[in-house]
Amino acid sequence: EAGVVQSPRYKIIEKKQPVAFWCNPISGHNTLYWYRQNLGQGPELLIRYENEEAVDDSQLPKDRFSAERLKGVDSTLKIQPAELGDSAVYLCASSLTPGSPLFFGEGSRLTVL
Amino acid sequence: GQQLNQSPQSMFIQEGEDVSMNCTSSSIFNTWLWYKQDPGEGPVLLIALYKAGELTSNGRLTAQFGITRKDSFLNISASIPSDVGIYFCAGQSGGGADGLTFGKGTHLIIQP
């Protein structure tokens, strides 16, 4: 069974440019999460979806970050415009139900110059 | 917000030694999870704990859900080189209504 798939694995952009990350969760997992992991830190939740509904986006910087999960399967996370402080690894995770364990993708490492 | 204190921050041990790390929380969790993350990879689930007092093993790994529901520990017995990595504890409250809160990780380094 395929795990959580993310792309791209690496992205280098200049500040003020836009960037987008894509995630395909484990088949049948209705709950999808986007986390951000700064160097030397644990992951921090950005947004959580139940099917296509964003049920917790309280930690998402809405002035420049947006996310969508239109058909309740794949999801995209967008940053526009990117800032230097956005350099981090963006992790996507999915779980079968809200209370079941999360399974993570390999992450998308963003470097903003 | 919820905070997890994970310790130690790093460990330098000899191959074959046992390892112990723990997490404490300022609030109660209903679920404790332990993950391992290798460089350039996403966290991989090691053990999930759902009940206070629960003791669960996965090979050489053993984890316990503290009675107070505010702490958890992970033990690794007879460490081997592939155990190197960063271990994260994570807690979840609200019956799944909230996402996971992660500790800052324990960096395990094994000297052959």
Side-chain angles (χ1 to χ4, degrees), chain A residues 9-10 33 35 37 40-45 48 50 55-56 89 91 98-107 109, chain B residues 9 31 33 35 37 39-45 48 50 86 88 92 95-105:
Chain A
R9 287 294 309 277
Y10 306 94
Y33 311 76
Y35 280 81
Q37 186 175 25
Q41 302 293 317
E44 295 177 331
L45 181 67
R48 178 168 67 95
E50 294 297 332
V55 296
D56 182 0
V89 176
L91 292 162
S100 56
L102 276 66
F103 293 88
F104 285 84
E106 294 180 308
R109 180 177 294 276
Chain B
Q9 186 174 1
T31 303
L33 303 171
Y35 287 85
Q37 187 174 28
E41 303 294 329
V44 174
L45 181 66
Y50 301 101
I86 303 177
F88 290 99
Q92 187 172 47
D98 306 319
L100 288 178
T101 299
F102 280 82
K104 292 188 175 182

Side-chain angles (χ1 to χ4, degrees), chain A residues 34-36 44-48 55-63 65 77 90, chain B residues 1-2 99-101:
Chain A
W34 282 102
Y35 280 81
R36 177 169 58 189
E44 295 177 331
L45 181 67
L46 291 174
I47 189 168
R48 178 168 67 95
V55 296
D56 182 0
D57 63 356
S58 57
Q59 302 303 312
L60 190 72
K62 297 181 184 61
D63 57 336
F65 286 64
L77 176 69
Y90 291 84
Chain B
Q2 296 169 331
L100 288 178
T101 299

Side-chain angles (χ1 to χ4, degrees), chain B residues 39-88:
Chain B
E41 303 294 329
V44 174
L45 181 66
L46 298 175
I47 292 179
L49 303 160
Y50 301 101
K51 187 178 178 180
E54 179 181 355
L55 184 71
T56 297
S57 294
N58 178 7
R60 293 178 296 105
L61 278 61
T62 301
Q64 185 160 27
F65 192 143
I67 292 292
T68 65
R69 296 166 62 194
K70 290 186 177 182
D71 62 335
S72 177
F73 72 75
L74 175 70
N75 287 342
I76 305 173
S77 63
S79 59
I80 60 178
S82 61
D83 291 334
V84 166
I86 303 177
Y87 291 80
F88 290 99

Side-chain angles (χ1 to χ4, degrees), chain A residues 77-90:
Chain A
L77 176 69
K78 297 179 181 178
I79 308 174
Q80 182 172 10
E83 297 179 352
L84 293 176
D86 295 332
S87 295
V89 176
Y90 291 84

